[in-house]
Structure formats: structure tokens, C-alpha cells
Amino acid sequence: MQNRILPALPLDEWEDTQHTLHLFMQIVGKIRMSAFPRANHWWHVPLYVSSRGLGTHLIPFGDRAVEINFDFIDHRLTLQCSDGNTQGFLLENLSVAGFYSHLMRILAELNIQVTIKAEPYDVPFSDVPFLEDEIHASYDRKAVEKYWQLLLFVNGVFERFRGRYLGKSTPVHLFWHHADLALTRFSGNAAPPFEGGSRADQDAYSHEVISFGFWAGDQNTRQPAFYAYIYPEPEGITDMPLKPESAHWNTDYGYSMAFLSYEDIRQSSDPEASLLEYLQHCYQGLARLAKWDIEALDLS
């Protein structure tokens, strides 16, 4: 969409809130992972961008189902049950311990039995069990609203890009591990065994993939950014030119990632077209290097 005004959101301006929200997401995501029927490539664990924030979609519990949603308009967590019961609480002025306690109490009141490993999963800023974490308790409404506006924009462009592909593709979904909004395309071919990593990694990379994503930044990358990578990684990947010109190869994470700052997209005269160009160029270049059947998989 031409002339779309997107918000700036450098991590330095909301890092405490981002960490708190990330841990809130992990709690909700772990509930979904525990209760939802297992799906291939761990598609049963993510959250999804919604018209008001982020949510789980329906989670079955016996003869009922429940949705857990982050409402970033009213800044509440809501639980909507298929029997008509709705409960929730404000996200402000809550520590991680408070959030966890409120949510588990409501689930108990709804007679929904769920058990999770109540501690952060692989985040560098905390290893404190949820019930003991009174440290992470920041919630900046304006920053969260900006973050949601970013997610809405990226989700819309990713969905448009997803529609151009005839092959197997993930939904556009947010993995609460690193809090990245992601989309993955599959060639249809099995990949060599993924060495090391978790069970989830081995499942995720059981087949050849090209993945695209967006995340709000971390301790190394202080700005929101887009990425694209391929598994298995073909030779000569970092010699592949990227578009737009500000995109570059990043190997700091142990693999080659086509990296593009969100700020470069934000400053573009047409952010949607610029992001689509980046996604399409990454896909075509990586797919050619890996000898995917591009013509057979193209729906554009």
C-alpha cells in the first residue's frame, strides 16, 4: 500500500516491555502446545495475528474449546469458551508471576486442566520460573500498539506472498520461542537429517525449506528486522545478490541469513511493494541455488 505510514520501534525504546510480553506469549503458547493435537513441523504451537492482537485459535478441551487472545486494543488477555463463558484480565501492572497466576486460576475456574513446564524456553534474558518472576513487569501500551501495527502489516504482506505459492506452505504464524512472525515454503523433497538441535528443530527441517520471518530485535540486533534462509544450505549462498540494496547476508547466528532492516522498509515510498520484492527475490535466488522446481511451484 503506497504511502502507508509505519511506526518506528527501536528495541531500546521498549525492551523491558518486549521481554515481559515475550514471556507472556510463552506462557500462552505453552498452554496451546500442551493441549492442541500435535501437528507436523510443530504447527500446533504458534500464535496468530488477529484483528485485535494475537491469539491461539481454537484449542479443543474435551467437548468444549477455548481461545486465548491478547487484545492489544483494550490491553487485556481474554479467554472465550465455546460454552459461552468469557473471562479475562488487564495486561498492565502485572509481573510474569502475576500473569501466570491469573491465567492458571481462570483455567481452573473453567475446569480446564492443562499442565506446562512453567519456565522460560531458551531466552537469553531470563531463566526464572514463571511463578517466581516478579522482575519482568513492564507494559508500555503505546509500544505494544506499535508492535501490533507492525505485525498487522507484516502478516498482510506475508499472506499475500504465501498466496503466490502452489507448494506446501506453513500458515503465517508467530513462534513464541523467539517471538518471530514466520512463513516457510517447502520444495516437497526430504532433507538430510538435521544434526543436533532439539526435537522441534529436527521435525521442522525434515524437508527442504525456505523460511521468511520478522522479529522485533534482540540483544544483538537492536532494530526490528526481516530474514530469509534455506535448509539445507547450498554452496555459494552468500555470493547471491540481494534486493533491495540495503539487504545483506548475516552469518552471526551460525547459518546464512538474508537480512533486511525493518527501518529500510519503513522509510520506503511503498513499504508493501518493497517487502514483497525482498521476499520474492530471496525465494527465487535461494530456490534456484537449491535447484527447486520453481515453475511447477509458482502460482503468481
Side-chain angles (χ1 to χ4, degrees), residues 161 164-168 184-187 209-212 228-230 240-243 249 258 276-300:
F161 179 65
R164 297 177 173 183
Y165 194 64
L166 190 60
K168 175 181 170 181
T184 296
R185 290 178 170 183
F186 294 76
S187 73
V209 298
I210 299 176
S211 287
F212 313 86
Y229 66 88
I230 186 170
M240 187 186 101
L242 298 172
K243 288 185 180 180
W249 288 104
L276 280 170
E277 177 190 41
Y278 163 78
L279 296 170
Q280 187 66 21
H281 185 80
C282 285
Y283 166 68
Q284 296 234 342
L286 293 172
R288 285 196 187 96
L289 281 175
K291 297 181 170 56
W292 286 23
D293 191 347
I294 297 176
E295 290 185 4
L297 297 170
D298 186 30
L299 197 61
S300 58

Side-chain angles (χ1 to χ4, degrees), residues 117-154:
K117 189 173 184 179
E119 59 187 47
Y121 177 67
D122 192 29
V123 293
F125 54 84
S126 179
D127 59 1
V128 180
F130 296 142
L131 199 53
E132 300 173 15
D133 188 351
E134 299 288 354
I135 301 168
H136 296 97
S138 175
Y139 192 89
D140 180 335
R141 276 189 174 224
K142 290 185 178 180
V144 171
E145 289 167 3
K146 288 180 182 180
Y147 174 60
W148 176 49
Q149 290 301 315
L150 268 64
L151 292 181
L152 283 173
F153 165 71
V154 177

Side-chain angles (χ1 to χ4, degrees), residues 61 64 105-113:
F61 286 97
R64 295 181 298 162
R105 175 183 54 78
I106 288 175
L107 289 172
E109 290 174 358
L110 294 172
N111 197 29
I112 292 173
Q113 305 299 319

Side-chain angles (χ1 to χ4, degrees), residues 26-35 100 104 114-119 130:
Q26 288 213 344
I27 293 169
V28 172
K30 285 190 172 202
I31 291 170
R32 185 177 197 268
M33 181 175 69
S34 175
Y100 178 79
M104 298 309 287
V114 63
T115 301
I116 67 171
K117 189 173 184 179
E119 59 187 47
F130 296 142

Side-chain angles (χ1 to χ4, degrees), residues 11-27 70 94-97 99 120-128 130 133 135-140 143-144 147 176-179 215-222:
L11 188 59
D12 290 343
E13 292 185 3
W14 76 301
E15 189 164 15
D16 289 344
T17 291
Q18 195 269 348
H19 286 171
T20 302
L21 183 60
H22 190 170
L23 293 171
F24 288 177
M25 290 179 194
Q26 288 213 344
I27 293 169
F70 289 94
L94 274 182
S95 65
V96 169
F99 179 93
Y121 177 67
D122 192 29
V123 293
F125 54 84
S126 179
D127 59 1
V128 180
F130 296 142
D133 188 351
I135 301 168
H136 296 97
S138 175
Y139 192 89
D140 180 335
V144 171
Y147 174 60
W176 43 265
H177 177 194
H178 290 135
W215 88 111
D218 56 27
Q219 70 274 21
N220 298 316
T221 303
R222 306 305 296 173

Side-chain angles (χ1 to χ4, degrees), residues 174-233:
L174 187 140
F175 276 105
W176 43 265
H177 177 194
H178 290 135
D180 53 334
L181 190 67
L183 168 67
T184 296
R185 290 178 170 183
F186 294 76
S187 73
N189 298 322
F194 186 84
E195 298 295 334
S198 65
R199 178 186 171 191
D201 292 327
Q202 293 166 2
D203 193 12
Y205 300 117
S206 62
H207 290 70
E208 294 177 349
V209 298
I210 299 176
S211 287
F212 313 86
F214 166 84
W215 88 111
D218 56 27
Q219 70 274 21
N220 298 316
T221 303
R222 306 305 296 173
Q223 295 279 348
F226 298 94
Y227 64 79
Y229 66 88
I230 186 170
Y231 179 82
E233 191 172 297

